[in-house]
Amino acid sequence: MEKDIRWQQRFNNLRKAFNQLARFVEHEKLNEMEEQGLIKAFEYTYELSWKTLQDLLRDKGYHQIAGPKPVIEQSFQDGYLTNGTGWMRMHQSRNLTSHTYDEETAREIIDGIRNEYFFLLQDLIARLEEEQSSSQNSLFDA
């Protein structure tokens, strides 16, 4: 039976999304339209991150866990995330992204992306790369 590698396929898309987010974060000064682009890049990077984790958890046997909050909680318990509180703040910010017409809300989200969320996502990418490497090695060991 061939092993389901859905999480790895989704992880490839997550890396691409994260790289786009990184290009926005590199620029300190963004105009209003670029700030909206930064927020949009954050949205889909966040969505891909928790969905990749959900697929990974399912691969590990957690078939009943679904949705961002339960996935974040279990991923933190299993060591895939190192800062559960930060991820919950990121989740709350993601829920507010539809309100970025409000300048104060947009500013808070942008500050969160630049000062915390980008680094949490970066840590996740590194952790998933380790997981992918170890699972590929175990395929060769079988």
Side-chain angles (χ1 to χ4, degrees), residues 2-3 7 9 24 34-35 44 49 61 65 67-68 71 89 95 98-100 103 108 111 123 125 127 138-139:
E2 188 172 312
K3 186 131 170 82
W7 81 265
Q9 293 166 342
F24 278 106
E34 291 166 331
E35 286 179 344
Y44 55 74
S49 67
I65 295 176
V71 165
R89 276 193 297 273
N95 287 340
S98 62
H99 302 287
T100 57
E103 287 183 37
E108 288 174 13
D111 289 346
D123 288 346
I125 298 283
R127 178 64 185 91
S138 67
L139 288 175

Side-chain angles (χ1 to χ4, degrees), residues 41-57:
F42 163 69
E43 283 180 351
Y44 55 74
T45 304
Y46 169 78
E47 292 296 325
L48 280 167
S49 67
W50 79 259
K51 288 176 181 178
T52 300
L53 285 167
Q54 180 173 267
D55 289 341
L56 174 61
L57 291 174

Side-chain angles (χ1 to χ4, degrees), residues 16-119:
K16 290 175 190 174
F18 179 78
N19 289 336
Q20 289 179 334
L21 178 64
R23 286 195 294 275
F24 278 106
V25 171
E26 286 173 4
H27 299 285
E28 288 189 33
K29 296 282 186 191
L30 299 175
N31 66 35
E32 186 178 340
M33 297 300 282
E34 291 166 331
E35 286 179 344
Q36 291 298 314
L38 169 66
I39 292 169
K40 184 54 78 178
F42 163 69
E43 283 180 351
Y44 55 74
T45 304
Y46 169 78
E47 292 296 325
L48 280 167
S49 67
W50 79 259
K51 288 176 181 178
T52 300
L53 285 167
Q54 180 173 267
D55 289 341
L56 174 61
L57 291 174
R58 287 188 175 154
D59 189 53
K60 301 288 182 185
Y62 296 101
H63 299 288
Q64 302 305 317
I65 295 176
K69 286 178 97 173
V71 165
I72 290 168
E73 289 167 359
Q74 188 64 55
S75 296
F76 176 69
Q77 289 176 15
D78 287 6
Y80 295 110
L81 303 175
T82 57
N83 183 342
T85 306
W87 273 85
M88 285 302 180
R89 276 193 297 273
M90 188 179 346
H91 174 71
Q92 291 169 341
S93 288
R94 168 56 185 98
N95 287 340
L96 293 174
T97 58
S98 62
H99 302 287
T100 57
Y101 54 83
D102 177 69
E103 287 183 37
E104 185 177 332
T105 301
R107 178 60 34 217
E108 288 174 13
I109 293 169
I110 290 167
D111 289 346
I113 294 167
R114 289 188 178 280
N115 298 319
E116 183 178 25
Y117 310 151
F118 177 79
F119 301 104

